[in-house]
Amino acid sequence: MASTSVSRIVPASPEKVWSLIGGFDALPDWLPYIPESTALEGGRVRRLTNPEGEVIIERLVDFNEAERHYSYAILQAPFPVDGYVSTLRVHAVPGQENAAEVQWSGRFNPNGASEDEVVDLFTGIYRDGLDALHKALAA
């Protein structure tokens, strides 16, 4: 099983960051790669569409409001992996009430691609996503 993790300090309190990204159906609010999200099964599943029109379906597998994190599994996607589970977390930065650390991590099995290729793919997605989050919060 392969894994990757990217962290980024963003210019907002953990509460403000979580209010933007903590909703399982909130990706279009901050992630340009996902312009459309439809909640299914009472909000436990999301059907995402990327700019190319490809569909990604993900299931919420863990959610903790108090600790500000959630995990999800990919059920269907155009990515060369299976067994994908990812977690998005928001941490306080000690001594900085208007900053938060956001960590996006995932583990997965390569399927039709090398481990390096899929690690690079998701590292790039997480990095670009956290860069977009930083821009959204700095605006």
Side-chain angles (χ1 to χ4, degrees), residues 24-40:
F24 189 55
D25 196 35
L27 288 179
D29 296 341
W30 61 274
L31 188 63
Y33 180 69
I34 302 295
E36 185 180 327
S37 177
T38 303
L40 306 168

Side-chain angles (χ1 to χ4, degrees), residues 36-58:
E36 185 180 327
S37 177
T38 303
L40 306 168
E41 295 185 24
R44 304 291 291 175
V45 172
R46 61 187 178 193
R47 182 186 187 276
L48 310 171
T49 306
N50 70 15
E52 291 77 41
E54 296 170 315
V55 172
I56 303 161
I57 299 176
E58 299 173 335

Side-chain angles (χ1 to χ4, degrees), residues 22 100 119:
V119 166

